[in-house]
Amino acid sequence: MAQKSLLEYAVVDRKSVNETEPKTLVSSVEAIIGEKKGAKKDLPEAPANLPPSYFVSASYDGHLKKVLIKLYEPQSEKIYFWYDNTGHKPYCFTNLSPYELEKIDRLIKHEGFDHFELEEKYDPLLDRNVKVTKIVVNDPLTIGGRPQGTIRDIIPEDFPKISEEMANNEEAKVWEARIKYYQCYIYDRQLYPGMIYEIKNGDLFPVKLEKTEEIIEQIKNAFKDISLEEVEYIESWARLLEYPAPKFRRAAVDIEVYAPVSTRVPDPRKAEYPVICVSVYSSDNQKRVLLLKRNGVREGNEPLPADVMLEYFDKEEDLLRAVFDVLLEYPFILTFNGDDFDLRYLAHRALKLGIKKSEVPIEVGKRVCLLKYGVHIDLYKFFFNRSIQIYAYNNRYRDVTLDDVGKAIIGVEKIRLEKGFGELSYTELAQYCLRDSEITFKLTKVEDELAMKLILVLARISSMPMEDVSRQGVSRWIRNFMHREHRRRNMLIPNAEDILAKKGKTATTAIIKGKKYKGAIVVEPVPGVHFNVAVMDFPSLYPSIIKVWNLGYQSILCPHQECRQNVIPGTPHWVCTRKRALESLLIGSLRDLRVRWYKLKAKDKSLPAELRSWYSITQGALKVILNASYGVFGAATFDLYCPPVAEATAAIGRHAITQILNKAAELGIQVLYGDTDSIFLKNPIKEQIAELARWTEHELKMSIDVDKVYRYAVFSSRKKNYLGVLEDGTVDVKGLTGKKKHIPIYIKNAFNEMKERLAQVKNPSEFEKAKKDIANIVRDRYMRLKRREWENLSDLAFHVVLGEELYRYTKTTPQHVKAAKILEKNGVEIRAGDLISFVKTIKEPHVKPVELATNNEVDIDKYIAYLQSTFEQVLDALGLSFDEIIGLTKLESFLG
DNA sequence: GCGGACTGCTTACCT
DNA sequence: ACAGGTAAGCAGTCCGCG
């Protein structure tokens, strides 16, 4: 019965429609609708009515000159298209009057030019309203995006030629000319990607859910103590975060291409070799492997799961068409590196085989590959994102490869191949290929579909389509929600160069050479073992500072005379007392919502598990955004780049922690260590902690609380290097070499043994025995090294990421680069980002890729030195010496 | 010509 | 394409030294 209504909402890719090839389009439409006859041949209308559906994507249709919104209807699990019907057009702003603009021929006669409108907007840099002219055009490319002849270039180029007769000294300026048109549309219409909409009589309406609205009322009530303006923001954030997520019907796709030289990856732009295998692994339990029949290939007898469908194709073209059917069927398609390889290869290969462009359901872009029907998520891009890697997945994976990410997150690794694709039997190939799409799919399934939901939540926060949010970095997410709010409040979005000209200067000196301003304070640790250590910290210190101190590009160094007394400690900068900065409000409300609602709800055992998991995902997404919210102001690539804002934030942070340090001393508490936003207190009593918290709240207007208590902590004399054992026996290791992921497992294993032993220590008296055991662990590892006892040479390998392309190392040649160069000579393709594994050898150049090395060339002394330095970081704090531990051994072995 | 002191480069980590 | 601060190891350079 759902089928019938589907016909009404005919799902159609209008983008592919053109005069020459209407028929092929219709057939793909029929495939989607599942109806062979009766489909319209002319341009079908957008659905007149559509039940509640998720806004998952937006783009611009160059043929229709309209914004296209893709809606995912969760009942039918299909994508429906909605085209703008409001007549919204692209535009930008200028300070020139229409009268002046009339004189610019290239503008007036531009084929895309439509008309002018006069508008008044608030200019946040001047803190007053300004009159601007809105230049409305028919096509986004008229404003920008082409190499020349666009409005954003014409105006500054041509105005000086006429300005004399205009008797105007003003500089010609253009604003908001670099915003993607579909984003502009989303902001103006106040649409929220990721949220639920319905279509009624052809119009798009947001859907309200009563249940969710009730929760939002609860949240508002929980924030009765703060200003109305802030509650408004909290409410709108909460709405974006509380609305439920759908089930995502999706399929992971992976392809294998025949390659004559097995070490060389085929070029997806040339697509010279046949696609020999494609696997599909979907949320509706389809496991398919499509294989190309080739001469002389064995059937093979590798075991495959019983529910796998193997499909053989005589012609490659048919295989590709079958894959395209998959791309037209699933609303969400997952790949790992599909932008650069799988989808790109498929598209080019299809054209090469004579398939018409209109029949290829892939939109090939410069850097991305999107789909005509659904949403393509390239998980490589998503997992590559540093913020996602660190804050959402806690640095669990190191190397952004399907193998490493799969191993770390779902415990499934790629199948190792001994031979090239050309020599594999069908079943070997199928097994290999299917594993890849299996991992790809499961990466989005694990932890209650964390990856999909994160993308959804981030799309809501940032007002971006799911495709964009999964591919772009945190600074884009932040920029976009700030742009959105500028538009919503009728604020002119400033040009980066104008912010910089007015507020680009920093006034402090960084400790690190080449940095722009001074950062955080790290307190010198007190070396040794300390029992009962309380760690107090400011939750989200920098976002709190931005909130409390009203920081933002508009408020710092504001134009008002009376604000100049409101100086930021440790800087000559002042901050506005008259007007609230937008960033302060946005980041502040997000911070409060996370700390005071989502973090609590994520831990609330009284909630059903499913809801709790959603809250946990949400607070994680907020963490990612908040953690970056200060840094972006110091990043030149950020559109609202404003170095004094970042500098002020750090300066206030230093001020805050210094004040606390003084207060702690005054209260007679010994501070063992501190870093940026934390202080480690030795054996404090409850009253001291309470007083410190009370004082901070009162004096600094920021909260501080006990984050954790270590049964004991071990400090060396090094900053950012310590070890703490929690009450439950968990061992926190920070910064120590033994934790770093590049060190050989051989050394790491010994370190972990020590860690386990330390976890058992409960009080000072138990320490003595533990010390002996630890000495034994070290000694044992040392002796085994001396005797050259190891199971596998790979246990001795160092693993270092190649940060640059090989040829770019011109200043020095680090060891991993030497190893990489040797690999390259051996025909292995090496690229930036690759993880290089090497062992230290006796002979020049003292390194060798582990793949090429043998046991007897290992330089034992180098490993002993490494073992020593790794352990000394802990041993000296325990009052043990590596040399003594080993010296004893020498004596013992001498005595036999 | 050699070795120690030093600086700079690179990576991995902490907040 | 978020920031600055810290540690470690190695590469490369400078300087003194019969």
Side-chain angles (χ1 to χ4, degrees), chain A residues 237-255:
Chain A
W237 284 128
R239 183 162 289 110
L240 297 177
L241 301 170
E242 289 292 334
Y243 269 70
K247 289 247 170 297
F248 295 95
R249 179 164 187 256
R250 61 199 189 277
V253 173
D254 181 66
I255 76 167

Side-chain angles (χ1 to χ4, degrees), chain A residues 228-238 485 488-489 582 585-586 589-590 593:
Chain A
L228 272 179
E229 194 182 29
E230 254 166 88
V231 175
E232 241 174 68
Y233 275 81
I234 292 215
E235 176 183 352
S236 44
W237 284 128
E485 295 303 324
R488 203 165 67 83
R489 295 168 64 129
L582 190 54
L585 204 46
L586 286 167
S589 52
L590 216 44
L593 196 56

Side-chain angles (χ1 to χ4, degrees), chain A residues 60 65 88-92 105-116 134-144 146 149-151 154:
Chain A
Y60 178 71
K65 296 193 190 302
H88 188 280
K89 286 186 170 181
Y91 60 86
C92 64
D105 258 18
R106 280 208 291 163
L107 169 62
I108 301 300
K109 293 185 178 147
H110 200 294
E111 57 171 0
F113 172 70
D114 199 86
H115 68 279
F116 299 131
K134 185 175 184 177
I135 305 172
V136 182
V137 300
N138 294 313
D139 183 325
L141 289 174
T142 302
I143 293 176
R146 269 199 272 246
T150 61
I151 288 179
I154 290 173

Side-chain angles (χ1 to χ4, degrees), chain A residues 756-774:
Chain A
E756 278 167 35
R757 186 62 190 86
L758 284 169
Q760 292 161 19
V761 175
K762 293 235 159 56
N763 51 57
S765 62
E766 287 176 11
F767 231 105
E768 292 314 308
K769 251 181 86 187
K771 277 196 207 174
K772 276 187 194 138
D773 292 343
I774 289 165

Side-chain angles (χ1 to χ4, degrees), chain A residues 230-454:
Chain A
E230 254 166 88
V231 175
E232 241 174 68
Y233 275 81
I234 292 215
E235 176 183 352
S236 44
W237 284 128
R239 183 162 289 110
L240 297 177
L241 301 170
E242 289 292 334
Y243 269 70
K247 289 247 170 297
F248 295 95
R249 179 164 187 256
R250 61 199 189 277
V253 173
D254 181 66
I255 76 167
E256 309 303 343
V257 174
Y258 175 78
V261 186
S262 64
T263 53
R264 204 148 293 154
V265 183
D267 183 342
R269 278 158 235 271
K270 294 192 187 132
E272 292 168 301
Y273 309 106
V275 174
I276 53 174
C277 184
V278 178
S279 64
V280 178
Y281 198 107
S282 76
S283 58
D284 44 9
N285 273 320
Q286 285 229 30
K287 293 166 200 162
R288 294 171 61 192
V289 182
L290 319 184
L291 288 154
L292 180 65
K293 281 239 179 200
R294 288 169 295 146
N295 286 334
V297 176
R298 286 178 300 114
E299 182 65 41
N301 53 3
E302 303 322 296
L304 285 158
D307 50 351
V308 173
M309 289 183 7
L310 285 190
E311 299 157 49
Y312 290 90
F313 292 82
D314 290 316
K315 283 171 65 191
E316 190 188 358
E317 190 189 322
D318 294 338
L319 189 156
L320 295 187
R321 286 185 193 279
V323 178
F324 292 164
D325 286 343
V326 173
L327 302 184
L328 285 165
E329 180 182 346
Y330 285 89
F332 299 92
I333 296 289
L334 312 168
T335 64
F336 199 88
N337 202 27
D339 277 348
D340 280 334
F341 188 72
D342 302 58
L343 294 195
R344 197 173 291 278
Y345 201 99
L346 285 171
H348 282 126
R349 186 69 187 167
L351 296 182
K352 198 152 190 150
L353 294 183
I355 298 178
K356 285 184 202 149
K357 201 173 174 190
S358 59
E359 292 177 83
V360 178
I362 301 166
E363 304 263 9
V364 180
K366 237 190 211 154
R367 279 193 278 285
V368 301
C369 283
L370 302 179
L371 294 166
K372 289 181 178 169
Y373 171 62
V375 174
H376 170 217
I377 307 284
D378 183 341
L379 291 176
Y380 171 73
K381 295 252 170 80
F382 178 71
F383 284 105
F384 190 84
N385 184 313
R386 288 286 290 166
S387 303
I388 294 293
Q389 188 172 352
I390 297 168
Y391 300 114
Y393 290 93
N394 295 316
N395 247 328
R396 269 182 282 162
Y397 58 94
R398 177 49 30 117
D399 199 14
V400 191
T401 57
L402 190 58
D403 187 56
D404 197 45
V405 179
K407 237 189 294 185
I409 294 177
I410 53 170
V412 183
E413 52 189 85
K414 277 173 78 90
I415 289 175
R416 314 272 150 206
L417 286 183
E418 317 272 277
K419 353 174 199 179
F421 292 142
E423 296 138 70
L424 298 180
S425 70
Y426 287 124
T427 50
E428 277 173 321
L429 184 61
Q431 199 182 37
Y432 176 85
C433 185
L434 184 67
R435 175 66 64 85
D436 283 3
S437 57
E438 177 191 353
I439 298 172
T440 306
F441 172 74
K442 286 183 175 168
L443 285 176
T444 66
K445 189 166 197 281
V446 74
E447 291 175 56
D448 205 13
E449 314 211 326
L450 169 63
M452 298 305 293
K453 288 177 180 172
L454 260 180

Side-chain angles (χ1 to χ4, degrees), chain A residues 392-578:
Chain A
Y393 290 93
N394 295 316
N395 247 328
R396 269 182 282 162
Y397 58 94
R398 177 49 30 117
D399 199 14
V400 191
T401 57
L402 190 58
D403 187 56
D404 197 45
V405 179
K407 237 189 294 185
I409 294 177
I410 53 170
V412 183
E413 52 189 85
K414 277 173 78 90
I415 289 175
R416 314 272 150 206
L417 286 183
E418 317 272 277
K419 353 174 199 179
F421 292 142
E423 296 138 70
L424 298 180
S425 70
Y426 287 124
T427 50
E428 277 173 321
L429 184 61
Q431 199 182 37
Y432 176 85
C433 185
L434 184 67
R435 175 66 64 85
D436 283 3
S437 57
E438 177 191 353
I439 298 172
T440 306
F441 172 74
K442 286 183 175 168
L443 285 176
T444 66
K445 189 166 197 281
V446 74
E447 291 175 56
D448 205 13
E449 314 211 326
L450 169 63
M452 298 305 293
K453 288 177 180 172
L454 260 180
I455 293 170
L456 183 78
V457 170
L458 292 169
R460 290 177 181 178
I461 292 173
S462 64
S463 287
M464 290 163 84
M466 289 177 75
E467 289 107 325
D468 291 1
V469 88
S470 65
R471 285 170 174 80
Q472 297 182 344
V474 62
S475 71
R476 292 293 178 83
W477 308 340
I478 293 174
R479 175 195 73 182
N480 281 21
F481 74 66
M482 288 187 176
H483 279 182
R484 171 183 79 210
E485 295 303 324
H486 276 80
R487 278 277 170 92
R488 203 165 67 83
R489 295 168 64 129
N490 196 35
M491 290 164 72
L492 195 60
I493 300 172
N495 288 320
E497 63 265 28
D498 293 338
I499 301 179
L500 216 53
K502 276 199 159 67
K503 308 170 174 195
K505 291 221 170 59
T506 53
T508 56
T509 315
I511 290 174
I512 305 171
K513 217 195 254 177
K515 301 287 185 186
K516 288 169 285 215
Y517 58 89
K518 197 189 278 304
I521 287 179
V522 186
V523 180
E524 202 72 53
V526 178
V529 178
H530 307 276
F531 277 81
N532 191 24
V533 176
V535 183
M536 294 188 84
D537 77 352
F538 294 98
S540 307
L541 175 67
Y542 288 170
S544 301
I545 290 172
I546 290 171
K547 175 186 121 182
V548 173
W549 283 78
N550 188 28
L551 297 181
Y553 73 85
Q554 54 182 120
S555 56
I556 195 108
L557 303 168
C558 66
H560 320 118
Q561 199 56 43
E562 81 260 28
C563 301
R564 291 184 177 237
Q565 287 99 282
N566 191 27
V567 172
I568 286 153
T571 75
H573 306 318
W574 68 89
V575 63
C576 192
T577 55
R578 268 205 216 164

